[in-house]
Amino acid sequence: MNKAHRIKKNIEFQYVFKNGKSFANRQFVIYILKKENQKNFRIGLSVSKKIGKAVKRVEIKRYIRQAFHEMYPYIESEYDYVIIARKPAAEMNFHEVKKSLEHVLKIAKAIKGDYFKKK
């Protein structure tokens, strides 16, 4: 993901937490905040030390970024997404992470309907 697609500053994370809506499943919590006049979506990732050591945390972040990259045309733009990984995400491979993210994005109605028709 390039810089235009990232949330990095703590104040931006806090703004999404405070003003956004949250949706969750067993593996992930996603906070979503609509931002008018924003050309593309932005994602922020939070993977706690409770999940595992640095290698595992970086792996989970990489899986999440890749899943968003593959779903890019189907994800609603003009939104900020903050994804928080929960403990069960540590035992998942890439395909399970992607499927779980699809599930929580579907609950949040943040993924376009034709995404599931293409499968």
Side-chain angles (χ1 to χ4, degrees):
M1 296 270 147
N2 60 16
K3 283 191 177 191
H5 290 94
R6 284 188 249 160
I7 299 173
K8 288 294 243 180
K9 295 182 179 170
N10 184 39
I11 196 162
E12 293 175 333
F13 274 92
Q14 295 305 321
Y15 187 76
V16 174
F17 289 141
K18 193 173 189 178
N19 300 311
K21 287 189 174 184
S22 67
F23 302 91
N25 61 11
R26 289 182 182 266
Q27 296 82 19
F28 298 101
V29 178
I30 296 186
Y31 285 84
I32 299 176
L33 179 65
K34 186 166 178 76
K35 301 278 286 253
E36 298 297 329
N37 303 321
Q38 186 168 280
K39 213 164 70 168
N40 46 27
F41 68 84
R42 299 188 313 160
I43 64 170
L45 304 176
S46 175
V47 183
S48 168
K49 287 185 179 180
K50 293 177 186 175
I51 303 293
K53 298 201 183 277
V55 173
K56 181 52 80 175
R57 295 194 312 264
V58 170
E59 179 183 74
I60 293 167
K61 288 180 187 178
R62 200 171 54 239
Y63 288 166
I64 294 169
R65 277 191 222 105
Q66 182 61 33
F68 267 80
H69 181 73
E70 290 182 9
M71 295 186 282
Y72 180 82
Y74 303 100
I75 294 176
E76 296 289 343
S77 57
E78 293 190 354
Y79 283 89
D80 281 353
Y81 301 93
V82 174
I83 299 105
I84 302 170
R86 289 181 167 171
K87 189 90 169 143
E91 278 85 51
M92 298 171 74
N93 64 31
F94 169 70
H95 297 291
E96 293 168 335
V97 167
K98 184 177 178 191
K99 192 166 182 74
S100 180
L101 284 171
E102 288 171 353
H103 174 254
V104 77
L105 287 169
K106 185 178 180 183
I107 292 170
K109 295 181 174 72
I111 197 163
K112 295 175 184 162
D114 54 343
Y115 175 78
F116 295 102
K117 293 177 186 171
K118 75 162 181 81
K119 287 188 168 185

